[in-house]
């Protein structure tokens, strides 16, 4: 018997698998995104090019999209985003590490402070894009069934 192609599945995943995917997204995007967001290059001597934020946003958006589409439940991707935001908040709050800098350091460290602000407060952008794209795919799958 041949297996159905992923876009021809007749049943959706369980709530437990959707929850599991949301937790994986939260931890992977929160930890790896925080680690990679501070990758910075400088144009000239003063202009920071925060390319690590773009990579971290791409990672977050793709993981949110994956969680929602693979489970067939949009709330799985939303849970992944909320969990990622909580994970990043905990990293910035707990400990003496300097992975996330506040904007009060912009005068002294403009690149890392800007990257931290964009990562923490801008992560809603790839999350919304990933969720909207996932919603389109999920609706298309429901229409075909």
């Amino acid at each position: 018997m041949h297996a159905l192609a992923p876009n021809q599945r007749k049943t959706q995943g369980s709530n437990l698998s959707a929850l599991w995917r949301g937790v994986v997204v939260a931890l992977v995007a929160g930890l790896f995104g925080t680690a990679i967001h501070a990758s910075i290059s400088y144009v000239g001597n003063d202009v920071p090019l925060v390319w690590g934020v773009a990579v971290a946003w791409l990672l977050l958006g793709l993981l949110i999209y994956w969680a929602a589409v693979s489970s067939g439940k949009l709330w799985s991707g939303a849970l992944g985003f909320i969990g990622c935001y909580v994970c990043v908040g905990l990293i910035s709050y707990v400990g003496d590490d300097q992975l996330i800098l506040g904007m009060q350091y912009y005068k002294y460290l403009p690149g890392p402070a800007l990257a931290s602000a964009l990562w923490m407060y801008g992560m809603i952008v790839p999350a919304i894009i990933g969720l909207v794209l996932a919603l389109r795919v999920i609706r298309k799958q429901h229409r075909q069934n």
Side-chain angles (χ1 to χ4, degrees):
M1 177 178 212
H2 296 288
L4 292 175
N7 61 350
Q8 295 177 344
R9 286 184 282 185
K10 298 297 180 193
T11 60
Q12 298 299 322
S14 68
N15 285 333
L16 185 61
S17 70
L19 178 66
W20 174 245
R21 285 177 174 93
V23 169
V24 167
V25 168
L27 292 177
V28 171
L31 296 175
F32 288 127
T34 300
I36 204 167
H37 86 279
S39 298
I40 302 168
S41 298
Y42 286 90
V43 177
N45 227 3
D46 296 331
V47 180
L49 181 63
V50 289
W51 61 269
V53 173
V55 174
W57 280 358
L58 180 65
L59 175 71
L60 176 63
L62 289 174
L63 285 173
I64 287 173
Y65 176 83
W66 166 78
V69 171
S70 66
S71 67
K73 297 179 181 359
L74 196 62
W75 64 262
S76 179
L79 176 71
F81 165 65
I82 293 168
C84 177
Y85 194 78
V86 168
C87 183
V88 172
L90 287 173
I91 289 171
S92 69
Y93 183 72
V94 177
D96 292 330
D97 59 8
Q98 295 298 318
L99 287 175
I100 304 286
L101 292 178
M103 285 306 287
Q104 67 266 24
Y105 294 107
Y106 184 78
K107 181 177 178 182
Y108 308 106
L109 299 166
L114 180 63
S116 294
L118 286 172
W119 172 234
M120 276 205 67
Y121 303 115
M123 70 172 62
I124 187 76
V125 173
I128 296 295
I129 292 170
L131 287 172
V132 167
L133 293 176
L135 179 62
R136 292 181 67 195
V137 171
I138 292 170
R139 282 185 177 169
K140 185 177 180 181
Q141 288 174 349
H142 283 293
R143 271 191 245 123
Q144 289 175 352
N145 293 337

